[in-house]
Amino acid sequence: MASFVDRVVLSATGGDGGHGCASIRREKFKPLAGPDGGTGGNGGSVVLVVDPQVTTLLEFHHSPHKHAGSGSQGMGDYRQGATGEDLILGVPDGTVVKSKDGVVLADLMGVGARYVVAQGGHGGLGNWAIASPRRKAPGFALLGEPGTSQDIVLELKTIADVALIGYPSAGKSSLIAAISAARPKIADYPFTTLVPNLGVVQAGSSRYTVADVPGLIPGASQGKGLGLEFLRHVERCAVLVHVLDCATLEPDRDPMSDFDVIEAELAAYAGDVGIEGGRVPLIERPRLVVLNKVDVPEARDLAALVRSDLEERGLTVFEVSAATHEGLRPLTFALAELVERTRREAPTLESARIVLRPKAVDDAGFTVTLRTDGAHDYFQVLGVKPERWVRQTDFTNDEAVGYLADRLARLGVEEELFATGAVAGAEVVIGDGPDAVIFDWEPTMLVGSEMLAGPRGSDMRIEARSRPTRGEKRSEYKERMDAKTEARAELWTEHEAGLWTDEDPS
């Protein structure tokens, strides 16, 4: 069973938002007291966070599908649904997040660095939040928005100060075991080391980490063998140490040819350019050369021959023996000096600045495009608001569909459809992909019998009827009394004028 995994494909899905509630409040002697449906809770998000206790991606190798908690539905009496919990996933320091196409999405370096992989959906509004003076009793609520889904690639790049590189069986594992407390597997066959090994070296007052990178072969930068997987772990290291085998028994190998092959592979490997730690080419980083296995007499003689050639190239050379610990102390102090100098010269990483990008004045927030698919044309509407409104609409409720039509009209979608050339009955698509909604467009009528109906969601049974104040009652009473007085005066005037005199019966 694998115990070290440095590349996995993770499928993350955010939690769904809870649906809004459509409810009408009941009170004694007041059966329809207005809407009181609460809003649904937001869904949780899937978040990657650098955890110092996590050193491998093994958990995602065994469980590659992650789903955050969903929000619960809203309830009556203005009660809001519970918010779904975020799913926090710990990843090792130095994890690179990529899309399936290889685009770098995030470079997680430093404890606490975070990246939101899948955002949770928004909860749907209840009918209490939708109510307005013109829509006093909505008989519907908005649906919760589904959480986003994303498939990403996680790659772990070892973060160390020094990287030991070289051919298989050059003695890298023996060397790191001799200068640190690391105990990697050591055997007399190639590719014993299949995963990087980390060790901590103490040289005087300086402490640094050393990575034993698995062996490289010619063509590693083109992916031969496991070259790309191995070279990935060299990108983060500031100092490179060539470990050359001076006691090899292979007839076509010698320390100088091994050195030239590894240098060519480092120069050919570009790595990721848009992330921290991957911009300095490997061939330009500080390098040392270690001539290993000088405890063998023939290897000591060969090391003496090639040492001058390497020093002519401006390289610092050390003759060591991992078996007898010969030359290890000068090597560790030289590495400590290089590491300290690299740390001093390293640029200070500035925190990411918050960039505000206000919406342009002429940005309507959506686009309407005429598209052709085979023999028929259709109009596609794309935008954050229209697409979210469509996802939150219950199309089995005519009132909810009418509410969506009103919102789109207020946003200006109908005017833009007219400007693009749409006519009644034209096919309109809102959104993109399998979640898109297709319908035949019927423009809103501005005159006619439609204008005689009340607004959607209105209910005459609960129309506001305010009780008259005492002053209004007194004024109404006085007006009524004055009208009675005037009527009596008019009757008396007619009586005095003889209009009520009976005619002479004779």
Side-chain angles (χ1 to χ4, degrees):
M1 179 181 296
S3 59
F4 182 89
V5 177
D6 58 359
R7 187 180 187 278
V8 295
V9 177
L10 175 64
S11 178
T13 304
D16 298 335
H19 299 328
C21 175
S23 173
I24 299 296
R25 189 171 71 254
R26 263 82 172 170
E27 296 180 3
K28 190 175 182 180
F29 307 120
K30 200 173 183 181
L32 294 174
D36 66 347
T39 300
N42 295 331
S45 302
V46 180
V47 185
L48 299 178
V49 180
V50 173
D51 188 348
Q53 303 300 325
V54 180
T55 58
T56 178
L57 302 175
L58 184 62
E59 176 187 354
F60 308 114
H61 174 73
H62 294 305
S63 179
H65 299 278
K66 301 295 182 180
H67 196 295
S70 299
S72 61
Q73 185 175 357
M75 294 164 284
D77 199 17
Y78 312 104
R79 291 176 293 175
Q80 185 173 354
T83 301
E85 293 186 3
D86 293 340
L87 181 60
I88 307 298
L89 303 177
V91 295
D93 194 3
T95 301
V96 178
V97 185
K98 295 182 178 181
S99 65
K100 296 295 288 293
D101 300 331
V103 179
V104 177
L105 303 177
D107 182 18
L108 302 179
M109 292 185 63
V111 177
R114 351 176 2 108
Y115 175 71
V116 179
V117 180
Q119 188 74 39
H122 294 281
L125 297 178
N127 64 342
W128 173 70
I130 301 173
S132 66
R134 298 182 60 242
R135 183 178 286 104
K136 298 182 183 298
F140 67 98
L142 298 185
L143 303 179
E145 188 178 4
T148 60
S149 298
Q150 185 177 198
D151 292 338
I152 59 173
V153 177
L154 301 181
E155 290 186 354
L156 174 59
K157 298 185 178 181
T158 305
I159 297 181
D161 298 310
V162 180
L164 304 180
I165 56 177
Y167 264 75
S169 298
K172 300 182 296 298
S173 299
S174 300
L175 182 60
I176 194 175
I179 63 178
S180 71
R183 293 296 176 262
K185 180 181 180 181
I186 300 174
D188 58 349
Y189 54 85
F191 293 106
T192 306
T193 303
L194 294 178
V195 298
N197 298 298
L198 287 178
V200 179
V201 180
Q202 184 76 36
S205 60
S206 178
R207 175 177 293 184
Y208 54 92
T209 56
V210 179
D212 167 24
V213 180
L216 302 174
I217 61 173
S221 60
Q222 281 75 40
K224 290 186 178 180
L226 297 176
L228 292 179
E229 284 73 7
F230 295 166
L231 283 168
R232 183 190 314 128
H233 296 283
V234 186
E235 287 189 32
R236 306 289 193 188
C237 302
V239 180
L240 306 182
V241 176
H242 284 273
V243 181
L244 302 181
D245 185 2
C246 293
T248 179
L249 299 178
E250 298 183 24
D252 56 344
R253 283 183 52 196
D254 61 83
M256 291 303 300
S257 62
D258 290 356
F259 176 80
D260 293 335
V261 168
I262 301 301
E263 286 280 283
E265 296 302 323
L266 294 179
Y269 180 71
D272 295 314
V273 183
I275 59 177
E276 294 293 339
R279 300 192 64 87
V280 179
L282 299 179
I283 201 65
E284 297 179 7
R285 300 184 189 182
R287 302 188 305 285
L288 295 179
V289 177
V290 170
L291 300 176
N292 196 15
K293 303 181 183 179
V294 295
D295 55 298
V296 180
E298 294 80 2
R300 187 180 297 273
D301 296 338
L302 182 58
L305 291 175
V306 301
R307 182 186 184 108
S308 59
D309 295 336
L310 293 170
E311 290 177 344
E312 288 178 359
R313 301 188 184 186
L315 298 170
T316 304
V317 183
F318 292 88
E319 298 180 15
V320 303
S321 171
T324 63
H325 291 201
E326 178 184 348
L328 294 185
R329 184 173 177 81
L331 172 63
T332 57
F333 278 91
L335 289 175
E337 182 181 354
L338 268 180
V339 170
E340 292 294 339
R341 187 180 66 187
T342 304
R343 290 173 180 174
R344 290 193 302 267
E345 297 175 354
T348 303
L349 296 179
E350 298 180 357
S351 58
R353 294 180 296 175
I354 299 177
V355 180
L356 300 179
R357 294 182 175 87
K359 188 176 66 173
V361 177
D362 57 348
D363 185 8
F366 66 93
T367 58
V368 177
T369 308
L370 175 61
R371 301 188 182 278
T372 302
D373 183 14
H376 74 286
D377 299 336
Y378 65 94
F379 296 86
Q380 187 176 33
V381 180
L382 296 177
V384 176
K385 287 185 177 180
E387 294 181 38
R388 184 174 70 244
W389 293 346
V390 164
R391 290 192 296 266
Q392 293 183 330
T393 300
D394 180 11
F395 286 94
T396 62
N397 189 307
D398 294 339
E399 189 177 348
V401 175
Y403 178 68
L404 172 64
D406 291 345
R407 301 178 83 181
L408 295 176
R410 286 196 303 268
L411 188 61
V413 174
E414 287 199 349
E415 296 180 1
E416 191 64 25
L417 285 171
F418 273 121
T420 312
V423 296
E427 182 178 332
V428 176
V429 179
I430 299 181
D432 192 13
D435 297 331
V437 175
I438 305 174
F439 61 93
D440 295 334
W441 182 48
E442 292 295 337
T444 302
M445 302 295 294
L446 299 181
V447 294
S449 59
E450 291 81 2
M451 300 298 294
L452 301 178
R456 297 187 183 96
S458 60
D459 194 333
M460 296 301 295
R461 295 174 295 175
I462 59 172
E463 286 291 338
R465 301 179 186 275
S466 58
R467 298 177 61 182
T469 63
R470 183 169 300 181
E472 293 174 346
K473 290 181 178 180
R474 186 180 297 109
S475 176
E476 183 181 357
Y477 175 77
K478 289 181 178 180
E479 291 176 359
R480 189 165 59 249
M481 292 299 100
D482 291 342
K484 289 182 177 181
T485 303
E486 292 178 0
R488 291 194 189 97
E490 184 178 356
L491 290 175
W492 182 255
T493 302
E494 293 177 353
H495 177 70
E496 291 291 334
L499 297 179
W500 291 4
T501 306
D502 295 339
E503 295 182 357
D504 188 359
S506 60

